[in-house]
Amino acid sequence: ELKRDAVTEGISEKTLTQALDGVQLSPNVLKLQSHQPERTMSIETYLANVVSHARVQKGKRLLAKHAELLADIAQTHGIQPRFIVALWGLESDFGANTGGFPTIGSLATLAHAGRRRDYFRGELIAALKLVDRGEASAQRMYGSWAGAMGQCQFMPSNFLRHAVDQDNDGVRDIWGNP
């Protein structure tokens, strides 16, 4: 059924075979879905773990280091640099931890057996579109257990809608290019 819907969305059979071959249900992903830190610890504990003094200092250094790029982004897209850097730090520790779960496998698991199956099914189809368009390989698409990818943890549908090739190198690389 998923393959039929994906073909209807324009995804090639070749991509479906390459991306979905060997994908299996991940009990670990389902377990993590029911133990999200935002729901299992207080805001004080969460902030203490995520917004450390060292991370704030690193954010200030990166804000200065990338000032010209961030000013260009602010001018072009209307997003304040401090918010971009804060999101970058919060979501992936400035690219140091972009996740260790295969995006396709995580999304397939959640689309099949998780809560909000329809949402994750749509995200899986969006991820397959990324592969089909050559914007990412299924083997490179790693992220969070919930399918969020890259340095700011975009869901695949948000990548399709909002990712930008800011350095004009022809690639929207949210994994390796700050």
Side-chain angles (χ1 to χ4, degrees):
E1 189 177 295
L2 171 75
K3 286 183 178 181
R4 182 194 69 227
D5 292 349
V7 168
T8 300
E9 291 282 335
I11 299 165
S12 71
E13 291 283 346
K14 178 182 175 186
T15 293
L16 291 171
T17 300
Q18 288 176 341
L20 296 174
D21 258 11
V23 169
Q24 296 181 351
L25 186 79
S26 171
N28 194 28
V29 166
L30 294 174
K31 180 181 174 187
L32 288 167
Q33 184 182 37
S34 63
H35 292 90
Q36 295 175 335
E38 296 88 349
R39 294 184 178 167
T40 60
M41 64 177 71
S42 71
I43 187 69
E44 294 81 12
T45 303
Y46 179 77
L47 289 174
N49 289 339
V50 177
V51 188
S52 68
H53 178 73
R55 189 171 287 180
V56 170
Q57 295 308 307
K58 185 175 182 180
K60 288 178 179 180
R61 287 191 305 277
L62 289 168
L63 187 64
K65 177 181 178 181
H66 296 290
E68 187 176 324
L69 172 63
L70 291 164
D72 184 42
I73 292 168
Q75 179 69 34
T76 304
H77 302 286
I79 303 167
Q80 293 181 32
R82 64 189 174 128
F83 295 128
I84 295 169
V85 173
L87 176 69
W88 186 23
L90 186 69
E91 290 295 338
S92 72
D93 193 14
F94 309 103
N97 183 13
T98 58
F101 291 85
T103 299
I104 300 290
S106 293
L107 292 172
T109 293
L110 294 166
H112 176 73
R115 297 187 318 263
R116 299 173 39 204
R117 289 181 184 145
D118 289 342
Y119 169 75
F120 287 109
R121 183 184 182 93
E123 292 300 330
L124 176 57
I125 288 177
L128 292 168
K129 285 180 182 180
L130 289 175
V131 173
D132 202 52
R133 293 176 182 182
E135 294 210 59
S137 69
Q139 294 72 32
R140 184 174 186 213
M141 284 190 355
Y142 271 74
S144 76
W145 61 265
M149 310 175 302
Q151 295 190 39
C152 284
Q153 296 291 282
F154 281 180
M155 291 303 287
S157 64
N158 285 328
F159 179 101
L160 289 172
R161 285 193 300 269
H162 303 296
V164 175
D165 174 19
Q166 191 70 29
D167 65 1
N168 297 312
D169 68 352
V171 180
R172 299 190 299 175
D173 181 6
I174 63 172
W175 294 272
N177 186 339

